[in-house]
Amino acid sequence: MNQIVIGIGIITFFAGAGFAYFLHGYLFKSKKEREIKETEAETEVIKKKQMLEAKEHFLQLKTEHERMVNERNSKLAQAENRIRQKEGTLSQRMEENQRQRRDLDNLRDNLKAQIDLAERKQDELEKSRRQQVEHLEAISGLSAGEAKGQLIESLKTEARSEAMSFINEIVDEAKMNATKEAKRIILQTIQRVAAETAVENSITIFHIDSDDMKGRIIGREGRNIRALEAATGVEIIVDDTPEAIILSAFDPVRREVARLALHQLVTDGRIHPARIEEVVNKLQKQVEDEVVEVGKRTTIDLGIQGLHPELIRIIGKMKYRSSYGQNLLQHSREVANLSAIMASELGLNTKLAKRAGLLHDIGKVPDDEPELPHAIIGMKLAERYKEKPDVCNAIGAHHEEMEMTTLIAPIVQVCDAISGARPGARREVVDAYIKRLKELESLALAYPGVTKTYAIQAGRELRVIVGSEKVSDTDAEKLSYDIAKKIQDEMTYPGQVKITVIREMRAISYAK
């Protein structure tokens, strides 16, 4: 019984399991078909949506393409319009050019006709002129060239006379100004002031009692002279010159120290390197003190006050400096005095003028040697030591390196030229001096009518002697003017040159 029940249970179980499996398969199949249908529906929707999007994109592309095509067509149409306009403009220009060409052809034909007519008239005029010239030559008995020469000579003589009369009128008018003429006379008087002449420039000769002293100065194996040269910075030349030793250096202060040291050593008799060094050091301080003393004494003599101590030292160093052989301190004192005199005559400040004249060349004695003109260096030194602007400008402008802004500046410039240009003030090579005088005489001797020329007063005056039968009084005035102009244009010379033309008449008879 139990087995039957178990069997029925088993059958029931399997029957239920089969039905459940069948029911599950049926339900699964229905769900799958439903999902497939849903998927197909979604796919169809997506497909339709994509087709719609594709159609919209296509329509957009088509619209954009049509817009671009329309724009291009519009541009092409505009370009065609511009081309047609240019073609029209070119056609107008071509027509205008053709019209102008026709006008030019007509004008050329007219000008050619007028030229032909003018040439015919010119030929007729030339023929008439020749006939008139022949008629005038027959009447006057002179050829055309001779008549032209006489006319030109007459015009030249008349023009020369009128020119000399005009020059004389100008000179007379200038002489009417008494004040100006008086100042000119004062300047000429100052120009002849006497002062020391040129001095040695780069060597000093030291005299000794006997040549035996040369060996002691040289020392054993030359140690004394080497020590002396090293201490002073001066080249000492001991040669065959009897009783003399040459000290050579471009710095005059060093030469002075070496000269004083040699003098003291020779006088004392003790000459050896240690003694040389001791004496040179002592004398360097002594010379420096002397420089300051000379500067102070110079300012006191000239009545100049309130100078900076460094400027006083620079003025003292001028005693040992020279410019073209002219002692710089003497030159500066001379310029200071001349400037004061001239400023007084012109009614200006004499103290400032004298101060500027004394300081005008301080740029030539700086402790260093900068690559600047000495006038600019001097101006900078004056500005550094608080000199007045008028004085600084006069120093900087006395060689025209800068613009003159005060009335004292041209006074200092003129007085500097007067002091340096007078005869004997500055050393000049003898050959160059003689050559300049010969050139001066030869230049005047080349003029017609001149018989003799003499350069006198160190080339300051040129006397020209002419023949009275060849040169008239009017010609003599013109000759002096022409010679002065040619000397001014062709020659280089200091100061001024006076040209005096002498025309003399000599009557000679013999009593027998």
Side-chain angles (χ1 to χ4, degrees):
M1 188 67 180
N2 289 333
Q3 294 179 348
I4 295 173
V5 173
I6 293 169
I8 294 172
I10 292 171
I11 292 171
T12 303
F13 173 77
F14 281 109
F19 179 77
Y21 176 79
F22 173 77
L23 182 61
H24 176 74
Y26 176 77
L27 293 175
F28 178 77
K29 182 177 181 181
S30 298
K31 183 179 180 180
K32 187 175 182 180
E33 289 177 354
R34 189 170 57 253
E35 289 178 353
I36 291 172
K37 288 180 180 181
E38 290 176 356
T39 302
E40 289 178 352
E42 290 177 357
T43 303
E44 188 67 22
V45 171
I46 293 171
K47 182 178 179 182
K48 289 180 179 181
K49 183 177 180 181
Q50 290 179 349
M51 288 180 68
L52 289 173
E53 290 178 353
K55 286 181 180 180
E56 289 178 357
H57 184 64
F58 174 75
L59 291 174
Q60 289 178 356
L61 292 176
K62 182 178 180 182
T63 303
E64 183 68 21
H65 177 70
E66 289 177 352
R67 185 181 62 79
M68 292 175 62
V69 169
N70 292 334
E71 289 180 355
R72 186 176 61 183
N73 292 337
S74 176
K75 291 181 180 179
L76 290 174
Q78 292 176 359
E80 290 177 356
N81 291 333
R82 286 197 297 270
I83 291 171
R84 283 195 293 270
Q85 290 176 358
K86 289 182 179 180
E87 288 178 352
T89 304
L90 290 174
S91 300
Q92 292 177 359
R93 289 183 180 178
M94 290 178 65
E95 292 177 358
E96 182 67 20
N97 289 335
Q98 291 176 359
R99 184 182 63 78
Q100 291 179 356
R101 187 178 301 168
R102 289 193 297 269
D103 293 341
L104 289 175
D105 292 338
N106 296 332
L107 181 61
R108 185 173 62 250
D109 295 338
N110 293 334
L111 288 175
K112 185 176 181 182
Q114 291 178 5
I115 291 171
D116 293 339
L117 179 60
E119 289 178 351
R120 289 195 298 270
K121 288 183 177 181
Q122 182 69 23
D123 294 338
E124 293 175 359
L125 289 174
E126 183 65 24
K127 184 177 179 181
S128 177
R129 190 188 65 80
R130 284 197 299 268
Q131 291 176 356
Q132 291 178 0
V133 170
E134 292 173 358
H135 183 63
L136 290 173
E137 288 178 351
I139 293 174
S140 62
L142 295 174
S143 65
E146 293 173 349
K148 185 186 296 182
Q150 290 184 2
L151 178 61
I152 292 174
E153 189 64 29
S154 175
L155 291 174
K156 286 172 63 177
T157 303
E158 183 179 356
R160 188 180 298 113
S161 299
E162 291 181 358
M164 293 309 302
S165 299
F166 184 66
I167 292 173
N168 290 333
E169 289 177 2
I170 294 176
V171 173
D172 293 338
E173 183 181 355
K175 289 180 179 179
M176 291 176 63
N177 192 339
T179 304
K180 185 176 181 180
E181 187 68 8
K183 291 173 183 175
R184 184 184 66 83
I185 295 172
I186 291 173
L187 289 179
Q188 288 183 350
T189 304
I190 294 172
Q191 188 175 4
R192 292 180 173 86
V193 67
E196 294 184 5
T197 55
V199 297
E200 57 187 352
N201 190 33
S202 60
I203 63 170
T204 298
I205 298 177
F206 178 74
H207 296 280
I208 55 179
D209 295 334
S210 65
D211 290 340
D212 296 337
M213 185 60 66
K214 291 182 179 180
R216 297 186 60 188
I217 293 174
I218 293 173
R220 182 179 298 177
E221 297 179 355
R223 62 179 183 177
N224 290 345
I225 193 171
R226 284 198 301 270
L228 191 58
E229 287 180 342
T232 59
V234 175
E235 182 181 1
I236 301 175
I237 302 173
V238 181
D239 53 12
D240 296 334
T241 306
E243 298 180 354
I245 295 175
I246 299 174
L247 309 178
S248 177
F250 284 101
D251 189 341
V253 177
R254 292 180 183 176
R255 290 206 312 273
E256 180 67 11
V257 171
R259 186 188 69 81
L260 294 174
L262 274 176
H263 177 73
Q264 186 168 342
L265 290 170
V266 170
T267 303
D268 186 23
R270 294 180 296 166
I271 305 176
H272 54 82
R275 175 65 176 167
I276 289 172
E277 186 175 353
E278 177 186 353
V279 169
V280 169
N281 291 333
K282 179 179 178 181
L283 288 174
Q284 283 177 345
K285 295 179 181 179
Q286 179 181 334
V287 170
E288 185 66 26
D289 294 339
E290 184 180 355
V291 163
V292 176
E293 182 63 27
V294 169
K296 290 180 179 179
R297 189 166 57 250
T298 301
T299 57
I300 293 172
D301 292 342
L302 294 175
I304 297 175
Q305 300 175 353
L307 280 178
H308 192 277
E310 185 62 25
L311 291 179
I312 294 176
R313 189 181 71 84
I314 292 175
I315 292 171
K317 288 182 67 176
M318 289 182 181
K319 177 182 177 182
Y320 303 102
R321 296 280 181 172
S322 61
S323 178
Y324 298 98
Q326 185 180 22
N327 183 268
L328 196 57
L329 181 59
Q330 294 297 330
H331 167 65
S332 298
R333 290 173 64 106
E334 187 176 344
V335 172
N337 289 322
L338 291 173
S339 300
I341 295 171
M342 192 176 296
S344 176
E345 291 294 328
L346 295 172
L348 301 176
N349 191 327
T350 57
K351 292 184 179 180
L352 279 181
K354 184 180 288 187
R355 195 182 191 97
L358 178 63
L359 298 176
H360 80 283
D361 270 346
I362 59 175
K364 290 185 178 180
V365 287
D367 293 330
D368 52 351
E369 299 291 340
E371 296 295 331
L372 285 174
H374 73 272
I376 303 299
I377 297 173
M379 182 191 69
K380 292 182 179 297
L381 286 172
E383 290 176 347
R384 183 187 305 171
Y385 299 119
K386 310 301 181 184
E387 286 295 319
K388 293 184 178 180
D390 291 357
V391 176
C392 296
N393 179 255
I395 296 172
H398 79 276
H399 282 312
E400 297 184 355
E401 275 91 3
M402 60 179 297
E403 182 182 358
M404 296 182 182
T405 58
T406 65
L407 294 176
I408 297 177
I411 291 177
V412 173
Q413 182 188 39
V414 171
C415 293
D416 179 51
I418 290 173
S419 175
R422 59 177 174 74
R426 294 187 174 182
R427 184 175 56 201
E428 187 175 10
V429 180
V430 176
D431 294 339
Y433 170 73
I434 295 174
K435 182 180 178 182
R436 178 166 62 84
L437 296 187
K438 288 183 177 179
E439 288 179 356
L440 196 63
E441 293 179 348
S442 300
L443 186 145
L445 196 61
Y447 282 86
V450 178
T451 58
K452 296 178 181 178
T453 56
Y454 300 102
I456 61 177
Q457 293 186 8
R460 303 295 177 185
E461 182 177 353
L462 178 65
R463 292 189 177 178
V464 182
I465 300 175
V466 299
S468 59
E469 69 282 358
K470 295 182 180 180
V471 180
S472 64
D473 290 338
T474 305
D475 293 337
E477 292 182 0
K478 183 178 183 301
L479 181 62
S480 65
Y481 177 79
D482 293 342
I483 293 175
K485 186 70 168 60
K486 191 169 184 179
I487 290 173
Q488 184 175 343
D489 294 339
E490 297 183 4
M491 294 189 65
T492 302
Y493 52 91
Q496 62 183 11
V497 180
K498 177 182 177 183
I499 292 87
T500 304
V501 177
I502 302 173
R503 178 178 177 269
E504 61 180 355
M505 180 67 183
R506 293 188 182 184
I508 302 173
S509 299
Y510 295 94
K512 297 181 181 179

